[in-house]
Amino acid sequence: MPREIRFLNTLSRRVETLDPLEKGHVRMYTCGPTVYNFPHIGNYRTFLFEDVLRRTLKAFGYRVTQVMNLTDIDDKTIKGAAAEGVSLREFTERYDAAFFEDLDALGVERAEHYPRATEWIPQMVALVQRLTERGHAYVQDGSTYFRIASFPGYGKLSGIDLAQVRAGARVDADEYEKEDVRDFVLWKASKEGEPSWDTPLGPGRPGWHLECSAMSMGLLGESFDVHTGGVDNIFPHHENEIAQSEGATGRPFVHTWLHAEHLFVEGQKMAKSLGNFYTLRDLLEKGLDPLAIRYLLISVPYRQKLNFTFDGLHAAAAGIERIGNTLRRLAHTPAATGEGSLHASALDEFEAEFDAGLADDLNTARALAALHNLLTAVNQALDGGGITAAVGARLDAALARTDAVLGIVPTGGAAESADAEIEGLIAARVAARKARDFARADGIRKQLAERGVVLEDTPHGTVWHRAK
Ligand code: AMP
Ligand code: ZN
């Protein structure tokens, strides 16, 4: 039996226990990037929320099928390719590849499917045909539009005011303002210089909203469990997805809608258009640790705004260091032979609190606080009577599970090779001392101190930690 988890559903505006249509199997669709440039870390806040969501569901015992689309045809990708004079494919493939590199750097688990919009044109056409048959679509000047007056449920997700609707008023852009409650484009008539497909709808290309309806239902079924995105997706994108999908099938499209609040910079949403953004690459080039970026972006529950500052990032790096320091102390301390000072009850408490936080609409702040309380208890035990082998084994398992969910325990990759280098120097210092070459031993200590590494000679050998 999977563990219970509750979410605040944007659609019902209530906190609800997740109850997948198929027992124990969560099918979820996460709106992916528009591959027209390097995503900024605001975009990654949303993608990391979805990663923690996926990892939590798995740790709670659910099977997860996640789909994340890659929007490789829309107003922005077409404009970008045209500006560079390259084909749409050549243009988007570059950003596609960059996106997956970023996901790896941030430790994001792969979804089960990454459909590209340009590979789903026949399904999109079929969806428009179904909408036309059911009276929800009409053609004007070679483009096909969704008639929102034909769908009484329009507005149920975003709560927009339908009194604003002006019959017959249309909008052709993929993105538009909240005030524009108008018939939106499903299929756009081909234009000079734009990619175009010859289809029964006439030559043209899909609108952005249509892409997500076709790909989500194609891979997850006409009704599925969870759909996520950033709050800016609620209107018009997700409202339009509901209208298209339910208009075509007559069935409920998605049960649970989850929306991540934005990453802010000095009171404004981080956005390409405002110029107040950092890409992941910008930060990595400054030498910042991707793990600290991950830690910062997941540290605030997804429904709350998060303000980005470099102080915040340094605090996140300190959080990561604290985990690493404790793990190294643990690894270098032999098991207690007596009772030890860390009791199994501390682990019970940690596990209960960590899970309770996540089960409460994915409260990552509460889960992280539980982890830091555990680290405090571990450090106190190491200062005192130590930790027995039995409790140590449980602790290792708890930390491994924490990492499976949050992905912030510094092991492997860059962290590990930096640690290996430090440990190599410490071994050289031990050898120098044995050989009574104290000048060399002191030299190594100084060299390490310059890198912020503090050594402590204990009866069990030399242990080290990074200074604050
Ligand atoms: P896009 O590539 O523009 O479609 O955006 C990809 C995802 O990032 C969408 O789910 C957006 O809602 C989300 N997003 C955009 N800006 C921010 C931000 N400042 N903070 C958090 N998420 C964002
Ligand atoms: Zn979408």
Side-chain angles (χ1 to χ4, degrees), residues 57-385:
L57 291 172
K58 285 169 63 181
F60 277 24
Y62 297 89
R63 181 182 147 211
V64 175
T65 302
Q66 181 191 358
V67 177
M68 177 176 277
N69 65 297
L70 302 169
T71 300
D72 62 354
I73 173 140
D74 80 324
D75 296 350
K76 291 189 280 198
T77 50
I78 291 173
K79 207 170 145 203
E84 290 191 20
V86 297
S87 72
L88 188 67
R89 184 94 201 184
E90 191 182 328
F91 180 76
T92 57
E93 266 177 359
R94 187 192 315 157
Y95 294 109
D96 234 69
F99 176 63
F100 286 106
E101 278 170 27
D102 285 1
L103 292 188
D104 288 343
L106 289 170
V108 174
E109 268 188 13
R110 287 283 196 269
E112 280 64 30
H113 305 276
Y114 290 98
R116 288 168 174 76
T118 51
E119 291 168 5
W120 283 75
I121 303 291
Q123 293 87 338
M124 294 175 200
V125 171
L127 190 58
V128 175
Q129 289 172 323
R130 275 173 92 178
L131 286 169
T132 307
E133 278 160 26
R134 293 173 64 107
H136 292 299
Y138 63 91
V139 177
Q140 181 84 42
D141 302 330
S143 292
T144 309
Y145 295 87
F146 187 94
R147 181 185 286 117
I148 61 177
S150 73
F151 185 72
Y154 197 87
K156 64 182 170 183
L157 182 72
S158 59
I160 49 110
D161 179 8
L162 276 181
Q164 304 294 320
V165 181
R166 287 175 291 143
R170 292 178 306 277
V171 55
D172 285 282
D174 279 334
E175 288 174 88
Y176 49 92
E177 297 301 320
K178 224 180 169 70
E179 297 72 44
D180 281 341
V181 190
R182 300 189 203 175
D183 290 349
F184 60 90
V185 71
L186 297 164
W187 186 260
K188 303 194 192 200
S190 78
K191 270 196 217 151
E192 184 66 34
E194 284 196 355
S196 165
W197 283 261
D198 275 317
T199 74
L201 304 174
R205 53 134 173 144
W208 171 41
H209 315 297
L210 181 68
E211 300 175 7
C212 283
S213 281
M215 294 187 284
S216 62
M217 292 198 293
L219 288 163
L220 296 172
E222 291 181 352
S223 292
F224 57 92
D225 305 300
V226 179
H227 194 313
T228 69
V231 286
D232 57 308
N233 289 149
I234 297 173
F235 186 88
H237 186 48
H238 290 165
E239 195 70 65
N240 291 354
E241 276 188 49
I242 293 174
Q244 294 163 155
S245 304
E246 298 189 353
T249 67
R251 301 175 51 182
F253 175 43
V254 172
H255 190 278
T256 305
W257 288 86
L258 306 177
H259 291 99
E261 247 302 347
H262 283 141
L263 184 67
F264 276 65
V265 189
E266 288 163 10
Q268 274 187 307
K269 167 190 170 182
M270 180 175 286
K272 277 268 138 79
S273 56
L274 295 173
N276 62 348
F277 64 91
Y278 292 100
T279 65
L280 182 64
R281 275 137 223 270
D282 293 338
L283 297 183
L284 298 184
E285 272 164 26
K286 287 179 191 287
L288 291 153
D289 175 6
L291 216 50
I293 299 168
R294 179 179 172 100
Y295 186 110
L296 174 68
L297 293 177
I298 69 171
S299 62
V300 171
Y302 75 97
R303 289 265 178 194
Q304 293 173 27
K305 295 185 173 84
L306 166 56
N307 196 42
F308 175 79
T309 61
F310 280 93
D311 281 350
L313 198 48
H314 294 312
I320 296 281
E321 278 304 323
R322 181 163 190 254
I323 302 169
N325 286 340
T326 309
L327 286 181
R328 275 191 302 276
R329 272 193 85 186
L330 263 173
H332 285 89
T333 311
T337 43
E339 261 184 44
S341 300
L342 187 72
H343 301 292
S345 60
L347 285 160
D348 296 338
E349 274 164 35
F350 162 69
E351 284 165 356
E353 179 60 15
F354 185 80
D355 279 23
L358 294 169
D360 175 16
D361 200 21
L362 219 62
N363 188 338
T364 45
R366 197 170 149 193
L368 276 171
L371 172 63
H372 281 287
N373 285 339
L374 176 67
L375 296 181
T376 302
V378 168
N379 282 312
Q380 280 168 355
L382 292 174
D383 291 339

Side-chain angles (χ1 to χ4, degrees), residues 385-422:
I387 298 175
T388 62
V391 173
R394 267 201 67 191
L395 178 58
D396 287 348
L399 291 171
R401 182 166 179 276
T402 302
D403 194 36
V405 173
L406 299 179
I408 48 150
V409 174
T411 47
E416 204 160 73
S417 62
D419 285 5
E421 196 193 333
I422 290 165

